[in-house]
Structure formats: C-alpha cells, structure tokens
Amino acid sequence: MAIKVEHEIHTRRKGRNLGVGAILVGFIAIVFGLTVVKVIQLGDAGKFERFDHVARPQLVPDAETGTEDGAGE
Amino acid sequence: MTDISAQDTTREAGMGDYFALLKPRVMSLVIFTALVGLLVAPVPVHPYIAFVGILCIAVGAGASGALNMWWDADIDVKMKRTAKRPIPSGRVAPEEALAIGLTLSVFSVVLLGLATNFVAAGLLAFTIFFYAVVYSMWLKRSTPQNIVIGGAAGAFPPMVGWAVATGGVSVESALMFALIFMWTPPHFWALALFVKSDYGNAGVPMLTVTHGRRVTRNHILGYTLALVPVALGIAFTSIGGPIYLAVAVVMNAWFLKGAVALWQRDDAASEADNHAVEKRVFRISLYYLFAHFSALLAETALAPWGWGGW
C-alpha cells in the first residue's frame, strides 16, 4: 500500500502550522542576532580568546615580554 | 442559533485566535510607553538589543493577557463585550490559553534577562504576576477599587523600558509609572460612565455599580487633581524640559477642565445630551497620555540640536 502523504488534518491546520513554523524561525533569528551583537560588543576577539581544548601556540605567553597576546613584539 | 453561528463556535482555532489571546490593543500601548521609557533613559542601547527588549516586554504583556483570559473565561462568557473572545466563543480551549500564557511568560522574562539585564527581567516578571494574579485573580472580583491598583500593571512598561537601558530604577522611571498609574482611574471611569456594561451580571464590582455614578464622578475629579502634580513634576527631572512642561500645562488644564465639568453634571444632564461631556473627557484622556509620552520623546530627540531638556 502506498504511503499517503496528505491527510485531511494537514490542509485543515496548514495556517496554524505555517504560523508556528514562522515563530520558531523568528525565534532562531532573534537569538542568532543577539549572539552576533553581543559578541561584536565585546570588542577585539583577540583580547579575550582562550585555549579551546587544543594547544594554540599563538596564545602562549611570550617568554621574553611576558605578554599574553602572543604577538610578543 | 443559526447553523452559521453554530459552525463559527466550533471551527478550529487559527493563528489569529491565538494572537487575540495576547490582547494586541493593550500590547500597542505597552510597546509605546516601554519604548519611550527606553529611549529617554540616559544610557544608549544598541538598536537590536532595544528591539529585542521591547519585543520581550510586548510578549510578556501579551502572556499576562492570555492568563487573564484563561482566568476570566467564566465571566467573559456572561458579558456582551467579551463573549466573542477566543475562549468563551469556544475557539481556543482554556488549557491551551493557560499553556500559551505560561510559556510566553517564561520565554519573555528569560530572554529579556539574557538580552539585557535581570533587573528589567525581574520587573517584567513582577508585571505579569501583578496583572495575572493580583489584578485578575484577586482584586478584579473583590473590590470596586480594582481598576486603581490593577492599573499598576499597565504602568510598569516604561519602568521596564528604562531598566532595559540603565539596569535599574530611578525617580524618572518611578514618575513615568506614577503618571500612568494616576491616569488609569479617571480614564477608565470616564468610559464606565457612558458605556452600558454588564459587569453587574458577571459579578464584577465596578465603582459605577457598587457606589453609584455620583461617587464615580467625585472619584474622577479627585484622581485627576492628584494626577496634575505628578505630570508637572516630571518636567523638572532629567527627562523633562520646556517642551514637556508646555505640553503638560496645556493637557492638564484641558483634562482638569473636563473632569470639573463632568463632576458638575448629574445623570439627567448626561442622559439629555447622550453623555457628550463623558465621551469628551474619555477622548481627552487618550490624547493626554499620548501627548505626555510624545513630549518626553521629543525632549530626547531634540537634545542633540540643543532644543530638548533644560
């Protein structure tokens, strides 16, 4: 027997389903936008970036200058 | 009942019915006053953060409206004005309204806290609690002063808007709260004097029913007199200025004149001209609030050109 894709409830609740879908997409967009704005407001990412489970030589404090930004010079 | 109306009451709820649960007309006033509270604050806010903050406040207000409709479904069905609301008309189940109200309350408060600060979120949570529990569940059916204390719920939005920007409360935000708080009773009671309501049938103690229309007229004048110093006082704070002061003087004189005229009349005179003065005072009250908050906004907007503020 072929699988019937359309059911009566799909057409009956189409408007409601689309509305809920739009709200969920809107919510995702709002949270994503907030994330972008909050991160941008932090300023230069290089100043607060830290190790992320992987050794990152560019963040190791420079032996000569003792600075943490790794630039050293 | 005709076949058509029978079908209407049993049709499945659409998005519009769920949106109606949020009381969109109340939300529009909340958005306006909260936006003014946010914009007149001395701390600049990123436009996107401000947008999300106002959205959260609007959704929180809508959530409290849904909770109010859930609780009041039994009396809404008895009153003509409210009988077509989604729950009494049978389009939305009470449990659905409760779920939507609680979910949106939690979402709006948590998102506001994360997006801005937890003082603003706490104030929004308290506003929702005040409207849904203190006003709807407790005061509305127990005292004819329900509209006075319940009006506080509608007065919080500019305070929340201010907190979104500053992270706190201040004399200015408290005065914006007081302006709406003192304005609500004369605004609402002026309406009650000319609208034939069936609150009596629903068992809701409205002042016009419990104490009579004469006492209501006295109360309108009393609250309008108390409102004047609050409205004028804002002019001398950091958010006021000459534009606001000029608007406040004109609007308060106009509103007070209307309240005195309303107080001098009796019901016979009111019936004779189809409540002309009562309707006029109600209309003035709408202009009154809009003018005050617009003037505050004008003070802030014109400040960069040396026009706003003292």
Side-chain angles (χ1 to χ4, degrees), chain B:
Chain B
M1 190 182 277
T2 65
D3 285 344
I4 293 167
S5 62
Q7 264 184 354
D8 274 347
T9 55
T10 53
R11 79 170 170 83
E12 195 150 337
M15 282 307 286
D17 296 313
Y18 293 112
F19 187 60
L21 279 178
L22 310 183
K23 299 193 175 182
R25 283 177 66 186
V26 177
M27 268 166 90
S28 61
L29 180 69
V30 166
I31 290 171
F32 175 61
T33 56
L35 187 65
V36 173
L38 189 152
L39 293 176
V40 301
V43 182
V45 185
H46 188 285
Y48 188 78
I49 304 277
F51 161 73
V52 174
I54 296 296
L55 184 69
C56 288
I57 296 169
V59 171
S64 65
L67 293 173
N68 167 274
M69 284 204 202
W70 163 73
W71 182 259
D72 278 349
D74 60 325
I75 56 174
D76 281 352
V77 77
K78 294 177 186 167
M79 296 190 287
K80 205 173 168 186
R81 183 178 67 86
T82 52
K84 287 180 183 165
R85 283 179 173 176
I87 302 176
S89 65
R91 299 195 304 278
V92 173
E95 302 77 33
E96 276 189 300
L98 175 64
I100 288 170
L102 290 176
T103 307
L104 290 183
S105 297
V106 172
F107 260 74
S108 59
V109 169
V110 171
L111 189 60
L112 186 65
L114 294 172
T116 63
N117 60 74
F118 282 94
V119 174
L123 279 171
L124 180 64
F126 185 70
T127 306
I128 296 169
F129 168 79
F130 201 91
Y131 187 66
V133 178
V134 178
Y135 172 68
S136 302
M137 296 183 184
W138 177 33
L139 295 172
K140 186 172 176 179
R141 304 186 195 204
S142 61
T143 166
Q145 297 294 319
N146 46 19
I147 200 68
V148 178
I149 307 162
F156 274 114
M159 223 174 173
V160 186
W162 179 279
V164 163
T166 65
V169 292
S170 67
V171 176
E172 290 86 353
S173 73
L175 281 173
M176 283 190 284
F177 168 90
L179 180 69
I180 304 179
F181 181 72
M182 298 306 295
W183 164 87
T184 307
H187 162 76
F188 191 84
W189 285 328
L191 177 72
L193 282 175
F194 68 86
V195 167
K196 293 250 183 302
S197 71
D198 33 17
Y199 279 114
N201 300 338
V204 178
M206 296 309 291
L207 192 66
T208 43
V209 178
T210 58
H211 290 70
R213 301 164 72 84
R214 178 70 260 162
V215 173
T216 306
R217 290 173 193 278
N218 298 345
H219 272 66
I220 290 174
L221 181 61
Y223 274 95
T224 309
L225 284 168
L227 172 65
V228 174
V230 175
L232 294 179
I234 295 175
F236 304 102
T237 65
S238 69
I239 59 173
I243 300 168
Y244 175 87
L245 182 61
V247 170
V249 167
V250 171
M251 292 309 297
N252 279 278
W254 197 21
F255 197 23
L256 197 55
K257 185 169 168 278
V260 170
L262 205 146
W263 174 70
Q264 286 171 332
R265 279 154 70 89
D266 56 17
D267 282 348
S270 181
E271 293 284 347
D273 63 3
N274 196 24
H275 315 293
V277 175
E278 286 75 9
K279 287 177 182 171
R280 182 162 55 84
V281 172
F282 176 72
R283 216 169 35 246
I284 295 169
S285 74
L286 291 172
Y287 301 148
Y288 181 95
L289 198 69
F290 185 73
H292 277 82
F293 276 86
S294 298
L296 287 176
L297 205 52
E299 293 286 359
T300 303
L302 296 173
W305 290 277
W307 281 76
W310 293 109

Side-chain angles (χ1 to χ4, degrees), chain A residues 4-26:
Chain A
K4 191 169 164 32
V5 178
E6 268 305 314
H7 186 276
E8 172 266 334
I9 203 168
H10 290 140
T11 47
R12 184 155 48 92
R13 292 199 171 167
K14 193 175 180 184
R16 203 199 287 193
N17 291 338
L18 286 174
V20 172
I23 290 169
L24 291 175
V25 170

